[in-house]
Amino acid sequence: MLILGIESSCDETALSIVRDGVEILADSREFQDEIHAPFGGVVPEFAARHHAEKISILFKRTLEKANIEADKIDAIGVTNGPGLVGSLLVGFMFARGLSIGLSKPLIPVNHILAHLYMPSMIFTKEILYPHYAILISGGHTFLIRADSILNYEILAKTRDDAIGEAFDKIAFFMGLGYPGGKAIDKRALNGNCDRIVFPVTRFKEDTLDFSFSGLKTATLEMIRSKKYDGQEKDFLASFQKAAFDIVLNSVNKLNREKPLGQIVFGGGVAANSFLRDYAHSKIKDKGVKLFFPPLEYCTDNGAMVAGLAYHLLRSGKEFKAQDVFSRSDFRKTY
Ligand code: KG4
Ligand code: ZN
């Protein structure tokens, strides 16, 4: 079964054709980094306009890469949330038009669950359910228990900023460019991550939730005070360690109390090279296996949308065109 996946929830227009939920035949993307860079964050109206400009070009490019005609597509999966409404609408209406024109099913896909499905597209046989899943991206930070591909329970979330947002803000203030996660990752390489101790929020109550605003404010304060001028590498390495400690402390706690044996990472921040190494030493319990998506599929892409759409289609659920756009939450079960 061939599924076209369409992703436009933020600032990447991304289309992909995937066979049977796992085999990526074509993957095309258009980035908007230069458009948003001067503002240090995504400008929603510019994002939506750019999606509208690029989406049909990308559709043609994706078909060419997969070497198939449009009528060979069996279904269209599209991100219906969460994300920027203007951006989502461009992808959604394009998908709906295709669905009507080609008389193929339209499948709404939750962006967060699509990120978390991605590692299973690659490690199809190795990743088992239930497992714990961690979504770390520019807009979201969630710790989830995944009982099956379509059944999830949120165990913890950020109470303020997303982790990627903290990376992007700090990089912007340091003049490292936008989006900043990758820039910080590069500049922190081989830095001494134990050099500076950053504050890591702890809640009074017993919770697995995260908070990044305290770390962000403390880091911005240190930048303003110029205390670590000339020591950028160690400063950024220490910041990264503090940010990932916030996430991994909760993961460790959960994994120690109720181990499930596997922990799956997803989202743009999962591309971080320090994290991909550090997580293995920080999560100490023997036998636990960690899975990360391949680097190029950590950030937003159409393949994860097409992949999850395949399972939704097979689940036999019916999606009515008039109400799918509002079905973007995933509190308990898809
Ligand atoms: O998943 P994604 O493409 O979009 C959302 O769903 O939010 O994630 C984008 C986020 C940005 O905050 C970006 O700075 C961050 O992922 N990111 C990284 C790295 N590559 C991208 N953060 C840390 N290290 C990286 N190597
Ligand atoms: Zn994303």
Side-chain angles (χ1 to χ4, degrees):
M1 193 177 278
L2 295 180
I3 303 211
L4 170 72
I6 301 178
E7 157 60 40
S8 70
S9 65
C10 190
D11 61 345
E12 270 168 46
T13 329
L15 273 71
S16 181
I17 294 171
V18 172
R19 179 180 280 135
D20 296 339
V22 288
E23 191 190 343
I24 301 167
L25 302 188
D27 182 69
S28 320
R29 304 179 206 183
E30 279 286 336
F31 301 93
Q32 306 181 4
D33 297 350
E34 282 171 22
I35 296 171
H36 305 296
F39 306 95
V42 176
V43 183
E45 186 181 336
F46 293 171
R49 286 178 186 277
H50 196 263
H51 286 307
E53 209 177 286
K54 297 293 179 189
I55 198 160
S56 51
I57 301 168
L58 270 182
F59 175 56
K60 279 192 200 127
R61 198 187 296 163
T62 311
L63 288 176
E64 278 165 22
K65 277 191 190 169
N67 199 20
I68 62 162
E69 301 291 329
D71 62 358
K72 292 285 178 298
I73 294 167
D74 294 297
I76 298 135
V78 61
T79 301
N80 75 325
L84 301 170
V85 172
S87 291
L88 286 164
L89 274 172
V90 175
F92 187 77
M93 294 316 289
F94 187 81
R96 192 170 175 192
L98 277 182
S99 157
I100 294 168
L102 298 170
S103 300
K104 304 289 177 180
L106 176 65
I107 304 153
V109 175
N110 179 285
H111 182 79
I112 290 164
L113 299 189
H115 267 302
L116 294 180
Y117 172 66
M118 170 45 75
S120 295
M121 289 178 72
I122 311 296
F123 305 101
T124 316
K125 298 224 166 73
E126 290 98 319
I127 294 181
L128 307 170
Y129 291 86
H131 63 243
Y132 291 126
I134 299 143
L135 188 274
I136 38 177
S137 74
H140 315 281
T141 315
F142 285 112
L143 176 53
I144 284 167
R145 178 192 156 102
D147 285 301
S148 72
I149 290 176
L150 301 179
N151 286 289
Y152 291 78
E153 187 183 351
I154 299 173
L155 303 176
K157 58 187 182 318
T158 179
R159 296 210 183 164
D160 38 58
D161 299 333
I163 183 168
E165 214 174 314
F167 272 77
D168 293 339
K169 277 270 148 46
I170 282 146
F172 183 69
F173 273 92
M174 292 178 77
L176 306 180
Y178 178 86
K182 208 173 172 179
I184 290 183
D185 187 352
K186 253 186 166 173
R187 281 164 192 263
L189 220 56
N190 302 321
N192 178 0
C193 64
D194 294 315
R195 174 80 195 288
I196 300 146
V197 178
F198 284 81
V200 172
T201 313
R202 287 187 215 290
F203 295 106
K204 278 195 193 120
E205 69 270 31
D206 190 24
T207 176
L208 295 168
D209 279 355
F210 319 109
S211 163
F212 296 95
S213 65
L215 171 65
K216 187 183 75 181
T217 310
T219 310
L220 292 177
E221 235 2 271
M222 290 187 206
I223 297 166
R224 269 190 211 110
S225 71
K226 301 184 187 297
K227 202 170 158 194
Y228 295 101
D229 268 10
Q231 304 165 54
E232 191 185 72
K233 200 175 265 303
D234 292 350
F235 181 76
L236 291 175
S238 304
F239 160 75
Q240 286 195 135
K241 184 176 179 220
F244 293 125
D245 274 342
I246 293 174
V247 176
L248 297 176
N249 284 344
S250 286
V251 175
N252 256 339
K253 188 167 176 232
L254 181 64
N255 189 51
R256 245 181 257 130
E257 282 167 11
K258 294 180 203 152
L260 290 180
Q262 297 195 336
I263 300 172
V264 173
F265 290 77
V269 182
N272 187 272
S273 58
F274 172 77
L275 169 71
R276 290 168 88 102
D277 200 31
Y278 183 56
H280 286 96
S281 58
K282 176 93 182 173
I283 301 173
K284 290 191 192 83
D285 301 70
K286 273 188 207 130
V288 65
K289 279 195 185 152
L290 308 187
F291 293 94
F292 287 90
L295 282 181
E296 68 273 32
Y297 289 106
C298 286
T299 46
D300 293 347
N301 62 84
M304 65 186 193
V305 177
L308 190 57
Y310 169 77
H311 294 278
L312 285 163
L313 188 65
R314 285 201 26 190
S315 75
K317 272 191 203 315
E318 273 198 38
F319 303 104
K320 294 197 188 92
Q322 66 269 29
D323 60 27
V324 284
F325 192 66
S326 58
R327 292 188 69 261
S328 63
D329 73 316
F330 72 116
R331 245 158 260 144
K332 186 117 181 105
T333 302
Y334 197 88

